[in-house]
């Protein structure tokens, strides 16, 4: 530097003063060079240091004396050496300056440095040496790479996400969408980025969607999700389960919305089909029940007439009745009784669903059992059945159905007793963690294991018909009542020597303990 | 012994026959008027109003149903005190509830053998005696 840049003077200056000023100027210049963090070096044409600033010395961990006159090469990464050599050579040509990145050895670490180099020439244009001003950009580059990597990862995640995703501007404009989203809405990328979400949202969802977004904007909520109907490019509806959140800048100002859209169109359609099928089924069930009721009622009507008038007929033909005709008469009467019982049982079976849909209440099983015994009084008296039960719990159910349940099980035990000894029936209950196990066991004929499932099928009987009360419906009604309540029924061996035990589970309910 | 006259509203001839026969066996001494339609029953009641009859009413009738006939009787000042007994083959609890709600005096399910009527006449006789 041969001039002062802050004193613009035209006065005559003596050479001594000039020399003094030059020294001052050089000191200032040195101060400037030494104080900064930029790395400043000069090398001669052979690549030896002619100048290094403090920052450079600090970086290398070496003193100026050690560096000056030494070769630059050891401090350049072997793979970058040719590049550096070519660069320095290039500086000899106009425009005599350039920029280069290479790895420098700072202490024991190779770190990426960015150098701005230029050739220092004398007035005649001869190159005296080369100067480089450099900066350690390792950290910066690493951050850039990390950022790029993270951006790439986001892009891949976004693009390959298994659900539709989009980034939406504050005004609703689509900024970025993934291919799933394009497939969901049927639009091309170029089309969708010219649209706002309002353009493809079904009208009735626009208002609620905008309201939710304004709550997001105000910070009242941090995200929201809802079901939403979109209009596909082809005009039909598609359904999405959307989940929207907002992205803000470092100051907390909102930047854009990020939405995830799960395509639930099929689910919606299936649900609608299911609902319509359920409606259909329930209507058809009601009709069937109504039908069964009417049929049962209308079938019993002529039956009543048959039994009434056959009785009258017998009276008027009394004189002509012999043993044979009396037997025929008995068969007709027994058959009508049996048919009547069957119709009544069928009716109970068919209307069970209606009864089970009514509200359940607390049922004291001891009471249900005594009702069942009362209903079966003639059969119990006739057979001399002994029924023994321990104290039974109170459960949640339908009183009439529970009574029918016990009645059918006891009736079954009486019907299939062994003629040689009086029938004994024992009813017990044990509590498990979440259910009751009931056992109704008898000393009757028993049921072969092979037939234990079959007896619950409607109209199944294992023995030839012996009396009119055997309709083949009782046990299937038992099964239906138990299964409607969420329980199971099965048959085990009786512990009373012969016979079998009808066991069933019945779910406990929290209300029972009240 | 039932001495009051009986108005039977029943569309089935066979049922009417059984009722008639069993009443006769029971020793019924009054007059029995049988009509097959609810409307005819109401007309008959109007003309019989001085005789204080007992009404035996079937539910499943052509035209006016038994429930409608009963409601009509109970809302008519001239007829509302007439004893009405429902005689039906229905075992639907809803029919029972509706009959009692409409103030039927009692509800009988038709028996499947003629002997079964005996108990019904017994009940009605007790009722008539109590009046």
């Amino acid at each position: 530097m041969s001039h002062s840049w802050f004193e613009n003077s035209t006065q005559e200056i003596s050479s001594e003063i000039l020399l003094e000023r030059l020294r001052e100027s050089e000191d200032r210049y040195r101060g400037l060079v030494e104080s900064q963090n930029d790395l400043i070096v000069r090398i001669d044409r052979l690549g030896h240091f002619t100048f290094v600033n403090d920052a450079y010395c600090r970086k290398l961990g070496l003193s100026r004396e050690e560096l000056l006159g030494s070769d630059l090469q050891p401090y350049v990464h072997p793979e970058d050496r040719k590049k550096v050599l070519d660069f320095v050579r290039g500086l000899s040509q106009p425009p005599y300056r350039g920029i280069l990145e290479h790895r420098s050895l700072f202490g024991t670490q190779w770190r990426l440095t960015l150098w701005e180099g230029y050739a220092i020439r004398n007035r005649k244009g001869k190159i005296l040496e080369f100067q480089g001003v450099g900066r350690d950009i390792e950290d910066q580059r690493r951050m850039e790479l990390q950022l790029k990597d993270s951006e790439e990862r986001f892009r891949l995640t976004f693009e390959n996400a298994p659900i539709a995703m989009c980034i939406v501007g504050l005004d609703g404009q689509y900024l970025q969408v993934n291919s799933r989203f394009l497939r969901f809405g049927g639009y091309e990328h170029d089309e969708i980025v010219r649209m706002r979400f309002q353009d493809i949202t079904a009208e009735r969802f626009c208002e609620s969607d905008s309201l939710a977004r304004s709550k997001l904007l105000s910070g009242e909520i941090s995200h929201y999700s809802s079901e939403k109907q979109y209009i596909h490019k082809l005009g039909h509806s598609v359904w999405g389960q959307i989940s929207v959140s907002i992205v803000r800048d470092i100051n907390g100002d909102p930047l854009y919305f990020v939405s995830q859209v799960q395509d639930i169109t099929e689910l919606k359609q299936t649900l609608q089909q299911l609902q319509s099928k359920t409606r259909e089924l329930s209507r058809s069930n009601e009709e069937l029940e109504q039908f069964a009721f009417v049929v049962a009622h209308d079938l019993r009507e002529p039956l009543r007439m048959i039994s009434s008038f056959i009785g009258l007929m017998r009276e008027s033909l009394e004189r002509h009745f012999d043993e044979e005709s009396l037997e025929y008469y008995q068969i007709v009467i027994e058959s009508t009784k049996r048919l009547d019982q069957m119709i009544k049982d069928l009716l109970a079976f068919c209307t069970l669903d209606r009864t089970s849909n009514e509200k359940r209440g607390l049922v004291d099983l001891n009471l249900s059992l005594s009702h069942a015994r009362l209903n079966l009084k003639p059969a119990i008296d006739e057979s001399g059945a002994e029924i023994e039960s321990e104290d039974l719990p109170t459960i949640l159910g339908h009183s009439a159905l529970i009574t029918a349940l016990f009645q059918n099980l006891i009736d079954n035990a009486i019907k299939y007793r062994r003629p040689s000894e009086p029938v004994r029936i024992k009813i017990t209950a044990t509590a498990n963690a979440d259910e009751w196990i009931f056992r109704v066991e008898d000393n009757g004929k028993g049921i072969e294991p092979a037939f234990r499932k079959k007896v619950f099928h409607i109209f199944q009987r294992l023995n030839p018909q012996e009396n009119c009360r055997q309709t083949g419906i009782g046990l299937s009604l038992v099964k239906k009542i138990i299964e409607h309540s969420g329980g199971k029924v099965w048959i085990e061996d009786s512990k009373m020597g012969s016979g079998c035990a009808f066991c069933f589970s019945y779910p406990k309910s929290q209300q029972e303990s009240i | 012994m039932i001495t009051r006259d009986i108005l039977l509203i029943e569309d089935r001839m066979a049922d009417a026959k059984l009722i008639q026969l069993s009443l006769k066996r029971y020793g019924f001494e009054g007059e029995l008027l049988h009509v097959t339609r609810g409307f005819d029953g109401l007309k008959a009641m109007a003309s019989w109003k001085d005789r204080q009859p007992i009404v035996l009413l079937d539910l499943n009738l052509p035209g006016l149903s038994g429930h409608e006939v009963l409601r009509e009787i109970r809302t008519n000042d001239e007829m509302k005190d007439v004893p009405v007994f429902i005689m039906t083959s229905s075992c639907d609890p809803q029919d029972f509830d509706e009959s009692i709600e409409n103030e039927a005096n009692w509800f009988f399910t038709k028996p499947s053998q003629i002997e079964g009527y005996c108990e019904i006449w017994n009940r009605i006789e007790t009722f008539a005696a109590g009046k």
Side-chain angles (χ1 to χ4, degrees), chain A residues 299-311:
Chain A
L299 283 181
R300 288 184 72 200
E301 196 60 47
L303 200 57
R304 205 163 45 78
M305 291 303 152
I306 293 171
S307 67
S308 295
F309 283 91
I310 196 91

Side-chain angles (χ1 to χ4, degrees), chain A residues 56-334:
Chain A
Y56 191 72
C57 293
R58 277 199 303 275
K59 272 283 185 197
L60 268 66
L62 295 168
S63 69
R64 184 167 284 125
E65 289 69 34
E66 283 172 295
L67 281 170
L68 287 178
S70 75
D71 197 344
L72 165 70
Q73 188 173 284
Y75 308 108
V76 176
H77 193 280
E79 288 170 14
D80 295 344
R81 280 174 194 162
K82 185 172 183 306
K83 185 165 78 171
V84 171
L85 195 63
D86 290 345
F87 174 70
V88 176
R89 277 188 190 141
L91 291 180
S92 310
Q93 313 289 327
Y96 306 107
R97 50 178 65 237
I99 287 173
L100 174 77
E101 275 179 24
H102 76 83
R103 284 164 286 181
S104 302
L105 184 63
F106 291 154
T108 55
Q109 271 189 320
W110 290 106
R111 293 180 70 87
L112 193 66
T113 39
L114 175 70
W115 292 96
E116 188 180 356
Y118 62 96
I120 299 173
R121 293 173 298 153
N122 65 11
R123 280 186 193 165
K124 287 178 182 160
K126 184 173 182 260
I127 290 168
L128 303 175
E129 52 190 0
F130 303 99
Q131 173 159 307
V133 177
R135 185 171 290 171
D136 182 345
I137 57 166
E138 180 74 23
D139 293 342
Q140 186 190 335
R141 181 53 51 90
R142 195 168 290 162
M143 268 165 62
E144 277 169 16
L145 283 174
Q146 274 173 359
L147 190 65
K148 208 172 147 195
D149 188 43
S150 139
E151 273 171 357
E152 178 64 8
R153 255 182 297 172
F154 170 75
R155 197 189 63 76
L156 283 173
T157 311
F158 186 81
E159 191 49 42
N160 299 325
I163 64 172
M165 288 178 82
C166 56
I167 294 175
V168 177
L170 302 179
D171 57 352
Q173 177 89 33
Y174 284 108
L175 301 176
Q176 209 176 330
V177 301
N178 67 358
S179 49
R180 280 268 181 169
F181 193 88
L182 294 175
R183 221 180 310 157
F184 176 66
Y187 289 93
E188 296 295 327
H189 186 270
D190 294 344
E191 294 172 317
I192 201 86
V193 292
R194 289 198 304 269
M195 299 172 89
R196 296 180 317 146
F197 76 81
Q198 294 91 331
D199 298 332
I200 64 166
T201 297
E203 206 175 334
R204 66 193 174 107
F205 285 91
C206 279
E207 201 177 318
S208 59
D209 210 25
S210 296
L211 187 73
R213 279 171 206 254
S214 61
K215 281 185 183 171
L216 269 183
L217 277 172
S218 70
E220 194 179 322
I221 52 174
S222 62
H223 71 279
Y224 78 92
S225 40
S226 70
E227 280 183 6
K228 185 173 144 182
Q229 188 185 2
Y230 289 87
I231 306 299
H232 190 273
K233 188 184 175 185
L234 298 178
H236 59 268
S237 283
V238 283
W239 282 87
Q241 168 74 43
I242 62 165
S243 176
V244 185
S245 46
I246 194 164
V247 175
R248 294 170 186 278
D249 67 12
I250 200 161
N251 301 317
D253 291 329
L255 290 174
Y256 44 78
F257 300 107
V258 178
S259 305
Q260 295 182 319
V261 186
Q262 175 92 46
D263 185 349
I264 55 166
T265 310
E266 256 180 64
L267 192 72
K268 274 273 170 190
Q269 282 165 353
T270 312
L271 202 68
Q272 274 165 3
Q273 281 167 359
L274 193 69
Q275 281 168 343
S276 117
K277 282 259 185 275
T278 309
R279 271 197 301 275
E280 241 171 71
L281 201 65
S282 117
R283 192 175 52 236
S284 126
N285 255 356
E286 267 170 38
E287 279 170 9
L288 201 65
E289 201 179 276
Q290 192 62 31
F291 173 77
F293 199 84
V294 168
V295 165
H297 177 265
D298 290 3
L299 283 181
R300 288 184 72 200
E301 196 60 47
L303 200 57
R304 205 163 45 78
M305 291 303 152
I306 293 171
S307 67
S308 295
F309 283 91
I310 196 91
L312 289 173
M313 198 198 263
R314 190 200 152 186
E315 283 175 23
S316 46
L317 295 175
E318 186 82 68
R319 284 174 290 126
H320 309 286
F321 259 53
D322 57 11
E323 207 171 299
E324 198 180 10
S325 33
L326 199 62
E327 190 195 337
Y328 297 162
Y329 165 78
Q330 286 300 346
I331 291 173
V332 174
I333 288 294
E334 288 300 311

